[in-house]
Amino acid sequence: MKLQVAALVLLSIIGCKQKEEKENTQKSVNIESSVAMESEKTFFYVGTYTDGASEGIYRYSLGADGKLAKDKLVAKTESPSFLTFSEDKKYLLAVNELTEGTVSSFKISQDSLQFLNKKPSGGMHPCFVVSNEEGFVLTANYSSGNVGLLKLKEDGNLTDLLDTHQHKGKGAHDRQDGPHAHSVWLEPTQNDVIEVDLGTNELWFSEIDAASKKIKPKSIPNLAFEDGTGPRHMAFNPNGKWTYVYGELNNTITVLSIGEKGNYKVENTYSTLPEDFEGENTGADIHISSDGKFLYASNRGHNSIVIYKVNEDGSLNTIGYESVRGDGPRNFSLSPDGSYLLVANQYTDNIISFKRDTNTGLLTFVDEIEAPSPVCILF
């Protein structure tokens, strides 16, 4: 009898141990699965306007399957409408699109942004910011029609304003009553600058003089566009031969060839809208795939992404239009691996995820998520 009891006790102990080992194994599997799922996420930042429900900069994630998830508010700041990283990606810069425009600097921690400092942008309503490998920071001030120059210190703090480049002139359209700098771009040299002005209807060419910390106009300072174009944003072909300029006011993409001496020449112009569309529309953002084969642009009004095939000579063929499933597609972005395209719909407070066919360039809807007044997506 005692032997039977002892055997039952032993079996009970063995059973408990086996159950505990199974539970521990399952916990380990769950932890590993959770880590794997987390590693499959690609996080991105969303810049917003804060005149409604938004409080500043948010972090979201894109899953390997294209699904979107909201992480959290990572920085409270006023109308951070456009975002960029420092060259080493240690810091995030945001323009504060206000009458007294500013640029804010944040240190990027694992899952948060640590505010460092904020400096004047040099003008009113800054709507674009970029940083080069030397830490110089350029911002386009829309309402005052100029470009401001600052610099990131080694600790990520911004210097005071170093210089401004004031644009002059106007265009033929009602919205071109004076200069309106809308974006600023760095050529591969990192110190050669293209300032895009919707109001003067021109590209302005300049360079950063690192020694004097000034913006210096080039010998050929401007390139004019067809009346009423309203240049807004640009996209450079990876082959270095062409660049594409989005005309916000006449809804066109203008192809520019880049000469050996870095001179730009207008080649062709293409509409971003279907021939039968008769409504109001303004162009917004433009991006090219990393292989240079497909170009995308967002239409506000038609509320679509127009898709172009890029030919070997840089010319474009329209191959489709994809509804953005919202209103006011202000900014959009391709995921780092080019598999997905995400659109920020400003007026309907949502972000849309599309799967991108890398062979055909076409888009397929995957997911939608709420976001307060989203205007910029930064991977």
Side-chain angles (χ1 to χ4, degrees), residues 9-10 12 30 36 38 47 62 110-111 120 124 185 194 204 216 229-230 235-236 270 285 294-295 327 343 362:
V9 170
L10 180 61
S12 177
N30 289 339
E38 188 74 11
L62 172 68
Q110 288 185 344
D111 60 352
M124 297 184 293
W185 305 82
I194 301 178
W204 292 66
K216 293 191 172 182
T229 297
F236 291 89
Y270 302 87
D285 201 13
F294 300 99
L295 185 75
D327 187 13
V343 183
L362 299 178

Side-chain angles (χ1 to χ4, degrees), residues 294-314:
F294 300 99
L295 185 75
Y296 302 87
S298 56
N299 285 307
R300 294 175 294 180
H302 188 248
N303 289 326
S304 66
I305 299 293
V306 56
I307 308 166
Y308 301 96
K309 174 74 173 67
V310 180
N311 301 314
E312 291 187 2
D313 62 356

Side-chain angles (χ1 to χ4, degrees), residues 176-356:
Q176 295 180 315
D177 56 343
H180 294 302
H182 216 309
S183 61
V184 57
W185 305 82
L186 295 165
E187 296 185 74
T189 61
Q190 291 286 303
N191 282 332
D192 289 308
V193 180
I194 301 178
E195 306 165 21
V196 183
D197 197 301
L198 179 146
T200 69
N201 211 51
E202 297 167 312
L203 301 186
W204 292 66
F205 300 103
S206 61
E207 60 184 336
I208 301 170
D209 187 312
S212 65
K213 298 179 181 178
K214 300 291 183 184
I215 303 171
K216 293 191 172 182
K218 289 191 174 181
S219 56
I220 301 177
N222 310 86
L223 176 66
F225 285 76
E226 180 183 346
D227 282 352
T229 297
R232 177 185 172 101
H233 279 193
M234 299 177 65
F236 291 89
N237 194 302
N239 65 17
K241 296 179 180 179
W242 305 289
T243 188
Y244 305 89
V245 179
Y246 201 162
E248 174 178 341
L249 302 180
N250 69 353
N251 306 298
T252 60
I253 305 298
T254 298
V255 182
L256 305 180
S257 59
I258 306 174
E260 291 182 3
K261 295 182 179 180
N263 296 325
Y264 290 75
K265 178 184 176 184
V266 174
E267 296 293 345
N268 298 296
T269 300
Y270 302 87
S271 173
T272 65
L273 297 168
E275 291 183 3
D276 59 354
F277 180 75
E278 297 179 351
E280 295 293 323
N281 189 81
T282 55
D285 201 13
I286 181 172
H287 293 280
I288 193 168
S289 59
S290 60
D291 58 11
K293 293 182 179 180
F294 300 99
L295 185 75
Y296 302 87
S298 56
N299 285 307
R300 294 175 294 180
H302 188 248
N303 289 326
S304 66
I305 299 293
V306 56
I307 308 166
Y308 301 96
K309 174 74 173 67
V310 180
N311 301 314
E312 291 187 2
D313 62 356
S315 62
L316 304 175
N317 288 120
T318 305
I319 58 174
Y321 300 89
E322 185 67 36
S323 169
V324 296
R325 297 170 178 253
D327 187 13
R330 175 66 172 264
N331 176 246
F332 68 94
S333 184
L334 296 172
S335 62
D337 65 359
S339 297
Y340 294 95
L341 186 149
L342 272 57
V343 183
N345 290 314
Q346 179 184 349
Y347 305 128
T348 44
D349 300 322
N350 61 349
I351 295 174
I352 307 295
S353 169
F354 294 100
K355 177 68 176 175
R356 192 178 78 89

Side-chain angles (χ1 to χ4, degrees), residues 85-92 106 108 131-135 152-156:
F85 291 121
S86 61
E87 184 70 17
D88 57 13
K89 288 202 169 183
K90 291 182 179 179
Y91 307 103
L92 182 145
F106 301 87
I108 300 171
S131 175
N132 77 358
E133 58 193 14
E134 295 180 16
L152 274 176
K153 301 177 185 177
E154 289 187 4
D155 62 2

Side-chain angles (χ1 to χ4, degrees), residues 18-83:
Q18 288 176 337
K19 182 180 179 182
E20 183 179 347
E21 288 175 357
K22 185 176 180 181
E23 288 177 348
N24 288 337
T25 299
Q26 187 60 48
K27 285 180 181 178
S28 177
V29 168
N30 289 339
I31 291 171
E32 289 176 3
S33 175
S34 177
V35 171
M37 287 177 65
E38 188 74 11
S39 67
E40 290 178 354
K41 292 181 180 179
T42 301
F43 289 97
F44 60 94
Y45 296 97
V46 178
T48 67
Y49 282 126
T50 56
D51 52 359
S54 174
E55 295 183 83
I57 303 170
Y58 294 82
R59 194 172 83 149
Y60 285 72
S61 66
L62 172 68
D65 57 358
K67 297 294 185 180
L68 299 169
K70 183 178 180 180
D71 185 29
K72 60 181 179 180
L73 173 71
V74 287
K76 287 189 177 183
T77 185
E78 284 189 276
S79 291
S81 66
F82 199 86
L83 314 174

